[in-house]
C-alpha cells in the first residue's frame, strides 16, 4: 500500500520508514506532487492534524497521515499550544518564541508543561488519531544545542537535562512525536 506522510522533513520520513513493514511504501509530500503550503487554521492540535490529512486525502486521493504538535504550559492555560510555531509572530522564530515563553513565565512558580503530538491517519476504510504526550517542565534558561524549537527549555520529568542536551535517538525514545509514531506504526503493521 502507498501511504503519504504529510511532511517533507527528511528526518521524520527516514525515522518512520525504518519502522514500517515492507507492505507499506512511504511517500513524502513532494513524492505525490504536493508543493503548496497546507493550511493549519484550526483551534486545536487535533483539528490541525485532521485538517492536513483531510486536505491530502481529498485532493490527492492517497492514504495519508499528518502530525501536529504543540507545547502546552499549565500556568499559561495551555499556551502556546496550537500556536507553538508562531507564538512570537508569523516569522516562526524559535529564539523569539523561547524568549517570549520565558518572559511570560517569569513570575509563575508552576512551570509544568507537556508536549503533545496528534497523528491523523486517513485511508479508504477509516480515519484514526494517535496521541503522544511527554510531561515535563520549562527550565529557567536555555540548556543544550541539539534538537529544535523549544527543546533547549523543555526538561522531561525524571530527567535533569533538556531535550536539547539529548541525542536524537535518546529524545525519540521518550518524546511526544516518538510515542505517537510508535502507536501509528504498531497499528499499521497490525492492520495493513
Ligand atoms: P509541528 O506541528 O511539528 O510543525 O510543530 C509545531 C511547533 O511546535 C514547532 O514549530 C516547534 O516550535 C514546536 N515543536 C514541535 N515539536 C517539537 C519538539 O520536538 N521539540 C521542540 N519544539 C517542538
Amino acid at each position: 500500500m502507498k501511504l503519504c506522510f504529510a511532511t517533507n522533513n527528511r528526518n521524520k520520513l527516514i525515522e518512520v520508514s525504518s519502522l514500517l513493514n515492507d507492505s507499506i511504501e512511504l511517500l513524502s509530500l513532494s513524492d505525490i506532487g504536493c508543493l503548496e503550503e497546507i493550511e493549519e487554521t484550526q483551534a486545536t492540535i487535533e483539528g490541525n492534524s485532521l485538517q492536513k490529512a483531510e486536505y491530502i486525502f481529498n485532493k490527492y486521493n492517497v492514504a495519508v497521515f499528518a502530525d501536529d504538535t504543540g507545547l502546552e504550559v499549565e500556568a499559561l492555560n495551555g499556551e502556546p499550544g496550537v500556536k507553538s510555531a508562531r507564538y512570537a509572530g508569523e516569522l516562526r522564530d524559535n529564539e523569539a518564541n523561547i524568549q517570549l515563553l520565558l518572559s511570560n513565565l517569569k513570575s509563575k512558580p508552576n512551570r509544568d508543561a507537556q508536549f503533545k503530538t496528534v497523528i491523523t491517519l486517513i485511508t479508504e476504510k477509516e480515519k484514526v488519531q494517535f496521541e503522544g504526550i511527554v510531561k515535563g517542565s520549562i527550565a529557567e534558561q536555555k540548556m543544550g544545542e541539539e534538537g529544535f524549537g523549544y527543546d533547549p527549555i523543555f526538561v522531561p520529568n525524571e530527567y535533569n537535562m533538556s531535550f536539547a542536551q539529548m541525542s536524537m535517538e535518546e529524545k525519540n525514545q521518550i518524546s511526544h512525536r516518538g510515542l505517537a509514531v510508535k502507536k501509528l506504526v504498531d497499528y499499521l503493521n497490525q492492520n495493513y
Side-chain angles (χ1 to χ4, degrees):
M1 162 175 118
K2 288 184 191 301
L3 178 64
C4 174
F5 183 0
T7 185
N8 280 320
N9 181 320
R10 277 196 59 77
N11 290 327
K12 288 187 186 178
L13 285 161
I14 290 168
E15 184 191 314
V16 175
S17 65
S18 73
L19 298 169
L20 287 172
N21 67 35
D22 291 345
S23 66
I24 295 168
E25 183 189 346
L26 200 64
L27 306 172
S28 68
L29 285 175
S30 48
D31 289 336
I32 62 163
C34 174
L35 303 175
E36 68 273 22
E37 191 163 337
I38 305 172
E39 281 202 342
E40 298 176 38
T41 53
Q42 303 304 302
T44 61
I45 295 166
E46 288 79 2
N48 274 342
S49 169
L50 178 65
Q51 181 177 26
K52 286 188 271 189
E54 279 182 335
Y55 176 88
I56 297 299
F57 187 77
N58 293 334
K59 181 159 179 195
Y60 294 92
N61 202 13
V62 61
V64 60
F65 64 92
D67 67 333
D68 197 61
T69 296
L71 175 63
E72 300 177 326
V73 180
E74 209 169 89
L76 302 177
N77 302 316
E79 289 214 334
V82 73
K83 295 186 294 195
S84 292
R86 298 180 173 83
Y87 192 39
E90 284 305 311
L91 290 179
R92 297 170 171 240
D93 180 338
N94 284 327
E95 181 60 28
N97 288 338
I98 286 178
Q99 292 312 326
L100 179 61
L101 185 56
L102 289 178
S103 130
N104 287 342
L105 269 183
K106 222 169 211 157
S107 53
K108 316 254 192 231
N110 176 4
R111 303 182 75 89
D112 290 351
Q114 64 179 27
F115 269 117
K116 180 162 91 178
T117 293
V118 176
I119 293 178
T120 304
L121 169 72
I122 305 182
T123 70
E124 294 254 294
K125 65 176 187 189
E126 62 185 343
K127 202 178 276 187
V128 199
Q129 289 196 315
F130 305 89
E131 184 184 80
I133 287 179
V134 59
K135 291 182 182 293
S137 61
I138 304 299
E140 301 278 345
Q141 58 191 30
K142 290 184 355 176
M143 302 187 293
E145 306 291 333
E146 301 297 320
F148 71 103
Y150 298 91
D151 279 348
I153 57 167
F154 184 81
V155 178
N157 284 349
E158 284 146 47
Y159 287 78
N160 55 10
M161 57 173 140
S162 77
F163 267 168
Q165 291 173 302
M166 298 180 183
S167 67
M168 192 168 68
E169 293 74 30
E170 232 178 329
K171 179 187 161 188
N172 284 342
Q173 293 281 334
I174 58 166
S175 80
H176 44 300
R177 194 174 303 98
L179 295 172
V181 164
K182 189 174 179 327
K183 287 184 190 173
L184 169 79
V185 166
D186 287 349
Y187 187 83
L188 287 170
N189 286 340
Q190 274 169 30
N191 296 283
Y192 287 87

mmCIF file of all heavy atoms in Angstrom, residues 12 40 52 67-71 81 84-86 92 94 97 115 117 148-151 163 171 175-177, ligand 1:
data_model
loop_
_atom_site.group_PDB
_atom_site.id
_atom_site.type_symbol
_atom_site.label_atom_id
_atom_site.label_comp_id
_atom_site.label_asym_id
_atom_site.label_seq_id
_atom_site.Cartn_x
_atom_site.Cartn_y
_atom_site.Cartn_z
ATOM 1 N N LYS A 12 12.068 13.003 9.735
ATOM 2 C CA LYS A 12 10.811 12.343 10.110
ATOM 3 C C LYS A 12 10.529 11.176 9.158
ATOM 4 O O LYS A 12 10.121 10.102 9.589
ATOM 5 C CB LYS A 12 9.635 13.335 10.036
ATOM 6 C CG LYS A 12 9.614 14.406 11.146
ATOM 7 C CD LYS A 12 8.306 15.193 11.049
ATOM 8 C CE LYS A 12 8.222 16.365 12.002
ATOM 9 N NZ LYS A 12 6.980 17.130 11.857
ATOM 10 N N GLU A 40 -3.225 25.378 8.240
ATOM 11 C CA GLU A 40 -3.411 24.874 9.610
ATOM 12 C C GLU A 40 -4.169 25.959 10.346
ATOM 13 O O GLU A 40 -3.566 26.778 11.020
ATOM 14 C CB GLU A 40 -2.064 24.649 10.300
ATOM 15 C CG GLU A 40 -1.185 23.620 9.626
ATOM 16 C CD GLU A 40 0.185 23.500 10.300
ATOM 17 O OE1 GLU A 40 0.271 23.585 11.540
ATOM 18 O OE2 GLU A 40 1.173 23.336 9.568
ATOM 19 N N LYS A 52 -4.883 18.780 7.921
ATOM 20 C CA LYS A 52 -3.803 18.477 6.966
ATOM 21 C C LYS A 52 -4.037 17.128 6.281
ATOM 22 O O LYS A 52 -3.882 17.001 5.069
ATOM 23 C CB LYS A 52 -2.446 18.458 7.692
ATOM 24 C CG LYS A 52 -1.963 19.858 8.061
ATOM 25 C CD LYS A 52 -0.542 19.841 8.608
ATOM 26 C CE LYS A 52 -0.501 19.636 10.101
ATOM 27 N NZ LYS A 52 0.826 19.812 10.693
ATOM 28 N N ASP A 67 0.942 14.890 11.066
ATOM 29 C CA ASP A 67 1.159 15.136 12.501
ATOM 30 C C ASP A 67 1.059 16.626 12.808
ATOM 31 O O ASP A 67 1.312 17.468 11.941
ATOM 32 C CB ASP A 67 2.520 14.598 12.957
ATOM 33 C CG ASP A 67 3.709 15.343 12.356
ATOM 34 O OD1 ASP A 67 3.579 15.906 11.248
ATOM 35 O OD2 ASP A 67 4.767 15.365 12.997
ATOM 36 N N ASP A 68 0.663 16.917 14.025
ATOM 37 C CA ASP A 68 0.710 18.298 14.504
ATOM 38 C C ASP A 68 1.103 18.259 15.977
ATOM 39 O O ASP A 68 0.699 17.353 16.702
ATOM 40 C CB ASP A 68 -0.641 18.993 14.329
ATOM 41 C CG ASP A 68 -0.487 20.508 14.424
ATOM 42 O OD1 ASP A 68 0.233 21.086 13.587
ATOM 43 O OD2 ASP A 68 -1.055 21.126 15.347
ATOM 44 N N THR A 69 1.912 19.220 16.384
ATOM 45 C CA THR A 69 2.485 19.211 17.730
ATOM 46 C C THR A 69 2.341 20.578 18.382
ATOM 47 O O THR A 69 2.412 21.605 17.704
ATOM 48 C CB THR A 69 3.994 18.859 17.651
ATOM 49 O OG1 THR A 69 4.124 17.547 17.140
ATOM 50 C CG2 THR A 69 4.655 18.932 19.020
ATOM 51 N N GLY A 70 2.174 20.579 19.705
ATOM 52 C CA GLY A 70 2.185 21.831 20.449
ATOM 53 C C GLY A 70 2.764 21.635 21.833
ATOM 54 O O GLY A 70 2.756 20.523 22.376
ATOM 55 N N LEU A 71 3.294 22.721 22.389
ATOM 56 C CA LEU A 71 3.790 22.731 23.762
ATOM 57 C C LEU A 71 2.727 23.399 24.621
ATOM 58 O O LEU A 71 2.351 24.554 24.353
ATOM 59 C CB LEU A 71 5.109 23.528 23.826
ATOM 60 C CG LEU A 71 5.697 23.743 25.223
ATOM 61 C CD1 LEU A 71 6.071 22.408 25.877
ATOM 62 C CD2 LEU A 71 6.935 24.645 25.151
ATOM 63 N N GLY A 81 0.520 26.006 22.922
ATOM 64 C CA GLY A 81 -0.387 25.024 22.330
ATOM 65 C C GLY A 81 -0.387 25.040 20.818
ATOM 66 O O GLY A 81 0.664 24.921 20.176
ATOM 67 N N SER A 84 2.165 27.093 18.845
ATOM 68 C CA SER A 84 3.582 26.945 19.217
ATOM 69 C C SER A 84 4.555 27.488 18.181
ATOM 70 O O SER A 84 5.526 28.164 18.534
ATOM 71 C CB SER A 84 3.907 25.475 19.498
ATOM 72 O OG SER A 84 3.237 25.051 20.659
ATOM 73 N N ALA A 85 4.326 27.218 16.896
ATOM 74 C CA ALA A 85 5.283 27.653 15.871
ATOM 75 C C ALA A 85 5.300 29.170 15.724
ATOM 76 O O ALA A 85 6.337 29.766 15.451
ATOM 77 C CB ALA A 85 4.941 27.006 14.529
ATOM 78 N N ARG A 86 4.138 29.781 15.946
ATOM 79 C CA ARG A 86 4.005 31.232 15.689
ATOM 80 C C ARG A 86 3.759 32.027 16.972
ATOM 81 O O ARG A 86 3.153 33.094 16.922
ATOM 82 C CB ARG A 86 2.829 31.483 14.738
ATOM 83 C CG ARG A 86 2.961 30.861 13.386
ATOM 84 C CD ARG A 86 1.732 31.182 12.533
ATOM 85 N NE ARG A 86 1.890 30.727 11.166
ATOM 86 C CZ ARG A 86 1.645 29.481 10.765
ATOM 87 N NH1 ARG A 86 1.231 28.580 11.635
ATOM 88 N NH2 ARG A 86 1.811 29.146 9.496
ATOM 89 N N ARG A 92 7.786 32.608 12.714
ATOM 90 C CA ARG A 92 8.124 31.266 13.235
ATOM 91 C C ARG A 92 9.555 31.227 13.768
ATOM 92 O O ARG A 92 10.318 30.304 13.446
ATOM 93 C CB ARG A 92 7.992 30.204 12.154
ATOM 94 C CG ARG A 92 6.592 30.016 11.604
ATOM 95 C CD ARG A 92 6.634 29.127 10.376
ATOM 96 N NE ARG A 92 5.309 28.758 9.940
ATOM 97 C CZ ARG A 92 4.880 27.502 9.854
ATOM 98 N NH1 ARG A 92 5.662 26.510 10.176
ATOM 99 N NH2 ARG A 92 3.655 27.241 9.443
ATOM 100 N N ASN A 94 12.195 30.531 16.356
ATOM 101 C CA ASN A 94 12.336 29.702 17.556
ATOM 102 C C ASN A 94 12.873 30.475 18.751
ATOM 103 O O ASN A 94 12.399 30.322 19.876
ATOM 104 C CB ASN A 94 13.295 28.530 17.291
ATOM 105 C CG ASN A 94 12.637 27.445 16.462
ATOM 106 O OD1 ASN A 94 11.433 27.221 16.572
ATOM 107 N ND2 ASN A 94 13.425 26.784 15.644
ATOM 108 N N ASN A 97 10.296 32.793 20.133
ATOM 109 C CA ASN A 97 9.266 32.015 20.834
ATOM 110 C C ASN A 97 9.729 31.636 22.238
ATOM 111 O O ASN A 97 8.985 31.757 23.218
ATOM 112 C CB ASN A 97 8.954 30.720 20.061
ATOM 113 C CG ASN A 97 8.178 30.979 18.780
ATOM 114 O OD1 ASN A 97 7.524 32.010 18.643
ATOM 115 N ND2 ASN A 97 8.233 30.037 17.858
ATOM 116 N N PHE A 115 4.483 18.344 25.967
ATOM 117 C CA PHE A 115 4.416 18.355 24.508
ATOM 118 C C PHE A 115 3.352 17.355 24.098
ATOM 119 O O PHE A 115 3.306 16.237 24.644
ATOM 120 C CB PHE A 115 5.740 17.883 23.891
ATOM 121 C CG PHE A 115 6.726 18.973 23.617
ATOM 122 C CD1 PHE A 115 7.947 18.997 24.275
ATOM 123 C CD2 PHE A 115 6.452 19.963 22.671
ATOM 124 C CE1 PHE A 115 8.881 19.987 24.008
ATOM 125 C CE2 PHE A 115 7.384 20.954 22.396
ATOM 126 C CZ PHE A 115 8.584 20.970 23.069
ATOM 127 N N THR A 117 1.676 15.522 20.588
ATOM 128 C CA THR A 117 1.599 15.286 19.140
ATOM 129 C C THR A 117 0.342 14.492 18.839
ATOM 130 O O THR A 117 0.043 13.522 19.541
ATOM 131 C CB THR A 117 2.806 14.453 18.651
ATOM 132 O OG1 THR A 117 3.987 15.223 18.798
ATOM 133 C CG2 THR A 117 2.658 14.074 17.172
ATOM 134 N N PHE A 148 15.489 21.184 18.161
ATOM 135 C CA PHE A 148 14.934 22.380 17.516
ATOM 136 C C PHE A 148 13.808 22.912 18.400
ATOM 137 O O PHE A 148 13.482 22.353 19.444
ATOM 138 C CB PHE A 148 14.413 22.031 16.112
ATOM 139 C CG PHE A 148 13.165 21.186 16.134
ATOM 140 C CD1 PHE A 148 11.916 21.753 15.887
ATOM 141 C CD2 PHE A 148 13.223 19.842 16.431
ATOM 142 C CE1 PHE A 148 10.758 20.980 15.919
ATOM 143 C CE2 PHE A 148 12.079 19.063 16.465
ATOM 144 C CZ PHE A 148 10.846 19.633 16.207
ATOM 145 N N GLY A 149 13.202 23.996 17.950
ATOM 146 C CA GLY A 149 12.032 24.544 18.626
ATOM 147 C C GLY A 149 12.301 24.841 20.102
ATOM 148 O O GLY A 149 13.308 25.461 20.465
ATOM 149 N N TYR A 150 11.430 24.357 20.961
ATOM 150 C CA TYR A 150 11.516 24.633 22.393
ATOM 151 C C TYR A 150 12.423 23.644 23.136
ATOM 152 O O TYR A 150 12.466 23.654 24.371
ATOM 153 C CB TYR A 150 10.113 24.590 23.011
ATOM 154 C CG TYR A 150 9.158 25.629 22.451
ATOM 155 C CD1 TYR A 150 8.348 25.362 21.357
ATOM 156 C CD2 TYR A 150 9.052 26.898 23.035
ATOM 157 C CE1 TYR A 150 7.473 26.306 20.841
ATOM 158 C CE2 TYR A 150 8.177 27.853 22.532
ATOM 159 C CZ TYR A 150 7.398 27.550 21.429
ATOM 160 O OH TYR A 150 6.527 28.498 20.928
ATOM 161 N N ASP A 151 13.131 22.782 22.414
ATOM 162 C CA ASP A 151 13.952 21.753 23.070
ATOM 163 C C ASP A 151 14.880 22.288 24.160
ATOM 164 O O ASP A 151 15.007 21.650 25.212
ATOM 165 C CB ASP A 151 14.789 20.985 22.031
ATOM 166 C CG ASP A 151 13.983 19.911 21.328
ATOM 167 O OD1 ASP A 151 12.866 19.604 21.783
ATOM 168 O OD2 ASP A 151 14.470 19.381 20.313
ATOM 169 N N PHE A 163 15.643 18.493 26.425
ATOM 170 C CA PHE A 163 15.645 17.730 25.163
ATOM 171 C C PHE A 163 16.852 18.114 24.304
ATOM 172 O O PHE A 163 17.377 17.280 23.562
ATOM 173 C CB PHE A 163 14.364 18.031 24.366
ATOM 174 C CG PHE A 163 13.225 17.067 24.625
ATOM 175 C CD1 PHE A 163 11.939 17.363 24.163
ATOM 176 C CD2 PHE A 163 13.426 15.873 25.293
ATOM 177 C CE1 PHE A 163 10.881 16.487 24.363
ATOM 178 C CE2 PHE A 163 12.369 14.977 25.501
ATOM 179 C CZ PHE A 163 11.093 15.281 25.031
ATOM 180 N N LYS A 171 16.130 11.281 22.598
ATOM 181 C CA LYS A 171 14.888 12.067 22.621
ATOM 182 C C LYS A 171 13.737 11.281 21.997
ATOM 183 O O LYS A 171 12.631 11.248 22.545
ATOM 184 C CB LYS A 171 15.097 13.402 21.876
ATOM 185 C CG LYS A 171 13.848 14.266 21.842
ATOM 186 C CD LYS A 171 14.007 15.511 20.972
ATOM 187 C CE LYS A 171 12.644 16.068 20.602
ATOM 188 N NZ LYS A 171 12.703 17.150 19.618
ATOM 189 N N SER A 175 9.976 10.938 23.440
ATOM 190 C CA SER A 175 9.296 12.175 23.047
ATOM 191 C C SER A 175 7.850 11.938 22.627
ATOM 192 O O SER A 175 7.458 10.828 22.238
ATOM 193 C CB SER A 175 10.050 12.862 21.903
ATOM 194 O OG SER A 175 9.727 12.247 20.676
ATOM 195 N N HIS A 176 7.066 12.994 22.707
ATOM 196 C CA HIS A 176 5.692 13.073 22.210
ATOM 197 C C HIS A 176 5.575 12.484 20.806
ATOM 198 O O HIS A 176 4.766 11.608 20.533
ATOM 199 C CB HIS A 176 5.277 14.547 22.209
ATOM 200 C CG HIS A 176 6.338 15.480 21.662
ATOM 201 N ND1 HIS A 176 7.588 15.579 22.224
ATOM 202 C CD2 HIS A 176 6.367 16.296 20.586
ATOM 203 C CE1 HIS A 176 8.317 16.425 21.537
ATOM 204 N NE2 HIS A 176 7.594 16.878 20.522
ATOM 205 N N ARG A 177 6.430 12.957 19.863
ATOM 206 C CA ARG A 177 6.331 12.500 18.479
ATOM 207 C C ARG A 177 6.726 11.029 18.385
ATOM 208 O O ARG A 177 6.061 10.245 17.701
ATOM 209 C CB ARG A 177 7.214 13.353 17.555
ATOM 210 C CG ARG A 177 6.883 13.144 16.083
ATOM 211 C CD ARG A 177 7.643 14.079 15.160
ATOM 212 N NE ARG A 177 7.425 15.476 15.493
ATOM 213 C CZ ARG A 177 8.229 16.233 16.222
ATOM 214 N NH1 ARG A 177 9.364 15.755 16.691
ATOM 215 N NH2 ARG A 177 7.939 17.480 16.494
HETATM 216 P P1 LIG B 1 4.918 20.853 14.141
HETATM 217 O O1 LIG B 1 3.443 20.612 14.255
HETATM 218 O O2 LIG B 1 5.726 19.565 14.217
HETATM 219 O O3 LIG B 1 5.273 21.713 12.973
HETATM 220 O O4 LIG B 1 5.331 21.671 15.457
HETATM 221 C C1 LIG B 1 4.833 22.958 15.741
HETATM 222 C C2 LIG B 1 5.810 23.730 16.601
HETATM 223 O O5 LIG B 1 5.927 23.099 17.879
HETATM 224 C C3 LIG B 1 7.233 23.787 16.046
HETATM 225 O O6 LIG B 1 7.424 24.871 15.203
HETATM 226 C C4 LIG B 1 8.062 23.939 17.302
HETATM 227 O O7 LIG B 1 8.096 25.276 17.720
HETATM 228 C C5 LIG B 1 7.281 23.145 18.322
HETATM 229 N N1 LIG B 1 7.766 21.757 18.392
HETATM 230 C C6 LIG B 1 7.215 20.657 17.800
HETATM 231 N N2 LIG B 1 7.899 19.555 18.101
HETATM 232 C C7 LIG B 1 8.911 19.948 18.902
HETATM 233 C C8 LIG B 1 9.975 19.234 19.534
HETATM 234 O O8 LIG B 1 10.138 18.008 19.429
HETATM 235 N N3 LIG B 1 10.809 19.993 20.271
HETATM 236 C C9 LIG B 1 10.680 21.325 20.432
HETATM 237 N N4 LIG B 1 9.725 22.033 19.847
HETATM 238 C C10 LIG B 1 8.836 21.347 19.090
#
